Amino acid sequence: MKRTLTAFVMSACLFTSTAFAANPKVDAAVKTFAVIEADAGKLKQFCEMFKTMTDASNEQDEAKAKALEEKIAGQIKALGDAFGTAWDLQGELDENTADGKTYFAAIDKMIDKCPQ
């Protein structure tokens, strides 16, 4: 479900201690996610963005969904250019490859730190 939600955002608009990606872009993304995860304020912003993503994926009203998508875009921007670049990389990755597994594990690690 987590990957479905992140894929939803991509169509609409980290770092693990032992995993290193062969792709330098993935490596940079994982490090960016680790920075977000380590900063309580940034992690809170990420969690708010993820909640908005969840709300958007469940929204049936087209106008409300569009407003939520615009809010998500603003939240991504607020997390910084490095985060935006890292976040956008998911559209280029296959989650079944080593790089994809490393990348999505880093996202899942951040999501797991968000309050349910």
Side-chain angles (χ1 to χ4, degrees):
M1 174 154 158
K2 294 174 190 172
R3 289 186 186 102
T4 302
L5 290 171
T6 56
F8 168 79
V9 171
M10 291 306 297
S11 66
C13 335
L14 303 174
F15 186 75
T16 56
S17 60
T18 58
F20 295 96
N23 181 335
K25 289 181 182 179
V26 172
D27 216 24
V30 168
K31 289 176 183 175
T32 297
F33 296 151
V35 169
I36 299 293
E37 184 183 340
D39 181 316
K42 294 273 187 187
L43 182 62
K44 181 179 178 189
Q45 286 179 290
F46 170 81
C47 293
E48 289 170 0
M49 180 200 77
F50 187 72
K51 181 182 181 322
T52 305
M53 289 170 48
T54 303
D55 294 345
S57 70
N58 294 325
E59 184 55 59
Q60 299 297 313
D61 182 283
E62 191 173 323
K64 289 179 183 178
K66 184 168 177 53
L68 288 170
E69 290 166 12
E70 290 172 6
K71 182 177 180 181
I72 292 165
Q75 290 170 315
I76 290 171
K77 187 173 182 173
L79 284 164
D81 291 338
F83 178 81
T85 299
W87 191 254
D88 289 345
L89 185 59
Q90 65 188 281
E92 301 174 25
L93 297 173
D94 176 348
E95 67 183 53
N96 296 313
T97 65
D99 283 341
K101 289 177 182 179
T102 299
Y103 176 89
F104 287 107
I107 290 177
D108 288 347
K109 188 176 175 191
M110 285 191 303
I111 292 169
D112 289 344
K113 293 198 175 208
C114 294
Q116 300 299 321

